[in-house]
């Protein structure tokens, strides 16, 4: 099974292209055959801190010192982490679907959809005194769940929607780890912006 891939690039302005980036941007988001993992490092033991849990179709932002924000079992969903290093303000979104316009509900839960959840995450960071334009973003998830067939291609549609949103809002994405056929659990640490990534059957690591 393909465990997923990552790439590092700036969403707007000058870009430093890599083969991984070109595969995603120019080839309809297909994963490279040999993904590089140079940005990964083995995770250290958990440090004490204030734990915040992000559920499915949920988001949280905080400026609490030593806080850690966690979401579990990202399958086809996307986990979007935002970190303002200068102000040590961070937030996380766990979005299920790409587009709220397909919903028949009268009252939308903004965090359920990327097109409404991403701006809600940005606004939450702004309200705490952060600046999304000078923040780092890391994106995880977008897997093919179940038997890997994923008839509706929700994971890949989420990745495509997120790619469009980072260009729309002129955001800097420092790291992607998306695709594959396994779920991901992530924790964002407010002390330094590191994200701990855990996947079944693999050594957890920090990005």
């Amino acid at each position: 099974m393909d465990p997923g891939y990552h790439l590092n690039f700036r969403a707007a302005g000058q870009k430093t292209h890599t083969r991984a980036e070109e595969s995603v941007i120019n080839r309809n988001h297909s994963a490279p055959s040999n993904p590089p993992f140079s940005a990964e490092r083995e995770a250290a033991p958990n440090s004490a801190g204030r734990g915040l849990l992000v559920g499915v179709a949920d988001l949280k932002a905080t400026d609490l010192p030593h806080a850690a924000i966690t979401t579990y079992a990202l399958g086809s969903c996307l986990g979007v982490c935002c970190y303002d290093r200068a102000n040590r303000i961070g937030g996380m979104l766990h979005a299920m679907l790409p587009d709220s316009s397909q919903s028949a509900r009268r009252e939308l839960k903004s965090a359920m959809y990327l097109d409404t959840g991403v701006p809600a995450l940005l606004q939450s960071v702004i309200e705490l005194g952060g600046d999304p334009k000078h923040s780092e973003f890391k994106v995880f998830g977008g897997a093919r769940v179940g038997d890997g067939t994923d008839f509706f291609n929700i994971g890949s549609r989420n990745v495509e929607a997120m790619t469009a949103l980072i260009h729309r809002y002129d955001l800097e994405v420092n790291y992607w780890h998306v695709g594959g056929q396994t779920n991901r659990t992530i924790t964002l640490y407010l002390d330094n912006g590191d994200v701990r990534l855990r996947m079944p059957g693999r050594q957890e690591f920090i990005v």
Side-chain angles (χ1 to χ4, degrees):
M1 291 186 185
D2 173 14
Y5 60 91
H6 81 263
L7 54 113
N8 298 282
F9 76 101
R10 185 173 179 82
Q14 296 296 321
K15 295 185 179 181
T16 302
H17 289 275
T18 66
R19 288 185 180 179
E21 176 191 352
E22 290 168 356
S23 295
V24 174
I25 298 303
N26 299 327
R27 300 181 186 176
N28 299 317
H29 307 288
S30 59
S33 57
N34 295 300
F37 286 93
S38 58
E40 301 171 2
R41 58 189 188 276
E42 186 174 328
N46 288 316
S47 57
R50 305 182 186 187
L52 299 174
L53 179 63
V54 175
V56 179
D58 188 18
L59 72 84
K60 285 186 173 64
T62 184
D63 59 357
L64 290 173
H66 314 303
I69 311 174
T70 298
T71 197
Y72 292 97
L74 290 162
S76 60
C77 299
L78 278 195
V80 181
C81 300
C82 172
Y83 183 67
D84 180 336
R85 188 170 299 276
N87 297 298
R88 291 196 176 181
I89 294 170
M92 182 186 293
L93 167 70
H94 184 144
M96 297 175 62
L97 297 166
D99 185 3
S100 62
S101 67
Q102 305 300 314
S103 175
R105 298 182 181 183
R106 291 184 179 180
E107 295 184 4
L108 294 175
K109 187 173 184 180
S110 61
M112 182 176 291
Y113 305 93
L114 285 163
D115 69 327
T116 51
V118 168
L121 174 64
L122 303 183
Q123 185 60 39
S124 296
V125 169
I126 290 169
E127 289 175 358
L128 289 171
D131 182 358
K133 296 287 186 179
H134 294 92
S135 295
E136 304 166 8
F137 289 81
K138 299 176 183 180
V139 183
F140 305 85
R144 285 180 173 268
V145 295
D147 60 3
T149 56
D150 191 12
F151 178 78
F152 295 103
N153 293 319
I154 294 173
S156 59
R157 287 168 52 206
N158 281 338
V159 173
E160 291 176 4
M162 187 63 201
T163 302
L165 288 165
I166 62 177
H167 286 281
R168 179 186 304 174
Y169 293 105
D170 190 18
L171 306 176
E172 180 178 351
V173 176
N174 300 84
Y175 189 88
W176 297 77
H177 200 290
V178 298
Q181 296 180 17
T182 188
N183 65 55
R184 297 163 169 89
T185 291
I186 57 173
T187 300
L188 169 65
Y189 296 99
L190 267 288
D191 281 342
N192 53 19
D194 281 352
V195 176
R196 180 188 299 265
L197 174 59
R198 286 166 281 177
M199 294 183 291
R202 284 195 63 185
Q203 174 72 46
E204 64 183 59
F205 52 86
I206 298 290
V207 296

